[in-house]
Amino acid sequence: MHPLTRDTRPHAPKSVDPKLIGTQPIALAAAALLVLVVGIAAIALWRAYGGSAPEPDRMAAARQLQARTAQASEQLVEKTKGLEATQQESIDQLQMVQDQLQTMRRLLAAQQADSKRLSDQVATLTEAVNSLRQSFASAPSAEPTESVVRNGAVRTRAHASRSAHRHRRNRA
């Protein structure tokens, strides 16, 4: 039989010769098997004599992690309670300060009302004093003349009594 197409591949063997397969792949497979057996044996020896089994280590690590987590949770709970107490104290103090501020505002308002009332009273008294001054200023000037005349009469009498007293001394 003639092939319809021609094989144009440059180094393609037409058939495989059983002599060419040889011992090389068998040796390679034997070496890989030997490496695997030695590796497995090394791991078994390491676990048996040198190292510990990973399961107990994992369990111990998990227990330690759980213990640390529980301890951290307890600390967080304690700190949260402390923060709540501190926050409540702050709220109480703030409420006290607000009450004091409200009291001070009331006192200030009462004091301002008193100041206004006193200011109004002073204004009323000032008006009364001014009206009294005006009434004295508009009063007739006859009163001061009478007092001057009366003072003059008192002076004259005093002068006369002194003179009489001197005359008696001189006579005696």
Side-chain angles (χ1 to χ4, degrees):
M1 284 214 250
H2 293 293
L4 295 174
T5 61
R6 233 170 114 179
D7 190 11
T8 57
R9 291 182 284 175
H11 300 291
K14 301 235 180 208
S15 63
V16 179
D17 190 11
K19 292 181 185 177
L20 290 177
I21 294 178
T23 61
Q24 194 176 23
I26 294 172
L28 188 60
L33 182 63
L34 182 64
V35 168
L36 283 173
V37 170
V38 169
I40 291 172
I43 290 172
L45 284 174
W46 177 69
R47 283 190 179 175
Y49 294 109
S52 60
E55 286 302 316
D57 285 343
R58 286 185 202 154
M59 293 299 286
R63 286 185 192 130
Q64 285 179 349
L65 184 61
Q66 286 175 346
R68 288 180 188 160
T69 305
Q71 185 179 11
S73 283
E74 289 174 11
Q75 288 176 350
L76 282 174
V77 167
E78 289 174 12
K79 288 181 180 179
T80 303
K81 287 180 182 178
L83 284 173
E84 287 174 355
T86 303
Q87 185 179 20
Q88 187 60 44
E89 288 174 8
S90 296
I91 289 170
D92 293 342
Q93 288 175 354
L94 180 62
Q95 186 64 40
M96 236 173 29
V97 168
Q98 286 176 340
D99 291 344
Q100 289 174 352
L101 180 63
Q102 190 66 23
T103 302
M104 293 300 286
R105 284 181 180 165
R106 286 184 195 137
L107 289 173
L108 181 61
Q111 195 174 34
Q112 287 174 341
D114 286 344
S115 294
K116 179 154 178 34
R117 183 180 49 84
L118 290 173
S119 176
D120 291 344
Q121 287 177 353
V122 166
T124 304
L125 287 174
T126 302
E127 288 175 11
V129 167
N130 286 338
S131 68
L132 283 174
R133 283 183 185 162
Q134 288 175 358
S135 68
F136 282 130
S138 65
S141 57
E143 287 183 15
T145 312
E146 290 177 11
S147 65
V148 170
V149 171
R150 203 170 22 140
N151 286 341
V154 171
R155 283 188 205 142
T156 308
R157 275 187 253 147
H159 184 64
S161 68
R162 275 190 243 141
S163 297
H165 185 58
R166 282 187 201 149
H167 286 295
R168 284 187 214 153
R169 270 197 219 160
N170 289 338
R171 289 187 189 170

